[in-house]
Amino acid sequence: MEQSNQEDKDGFFYPRGRYYGQVKPANLLFNANLQEFAQKVAIITSLETSGKLSPEEAYNQIKVLWKQLKRSKKELGIGNDQPNGSESLDGI
């Protein structure tokens, strides 16, 4: 009973979307990293909006998360074989 309550809480606080892309371990891992990034950015922006974090601190925390996501993308080799015109994380 306790286990299912914890799973319900985790599902509520840390929702995960389905992955519809090409199923490869690297893609699935990057998708999980991307969802975690989005969740943390949402929390940081909420804290900044409510005055719990300064804008500078929020920016710095998001910048660190962004660098981690870019490093993950590079280490997993995601996007190395993208067709021309595709969106990528490199331009941001």
Side-chain angles (χ1 to χ4, degrees):
M1 181 75 172
E2 182 65 34
Q3 181 68 19
S4 74
N5 284 341
Q6 185 61 39
E7 289 174 5
D8 289 342
K9 288 179 185 177
D10 288 345
F12 178 76
F13 288 115
Y14 307 108
R16 296 284 179 174
R18 288 187 177 186
Y19 179 71
Y20 293 101
Q22 186 179 19
V23 179
K24 295 193 297 191
N27 290 351
L28 294 173
L29 185 56
F30 182 71
N31 181 262
N33 292 343
L34 184 60
Q35 289 190 41
E36 182 180 357
F37 169 80
Q39 184 68 30
K40 287 182 178 182
V41 167
I43 292 168
I44 291 168
T45 56
S46 294
L47 290 170
E48 191 276 329
T49 300
S50 66
K52 306 288 183 186
L53 278 179
S54 70
E56 294 82 15
E57 181 61 27
Y59 173 82
N60 288 333
Q61 288 185 17
I62 292 171
K63 187 176 179 180
V64 167
L65 292 172
W66 181 252
K67 287 181 179 182
Q68 290 172 351
L69 184 64
K70 283 181 71 171
R71 185 173 49 249
S72 166
K73 176 185 176 276
K74 184 177 182 180
E75 289 173 357
L76 293 169
I78 303 294
N80 292 341
D81 55 346
Q82 287 183 344
N84 288 338
S86 293
E87 298 275 335
S88 77
L89 294 176
D90 296 328
I92 298 176

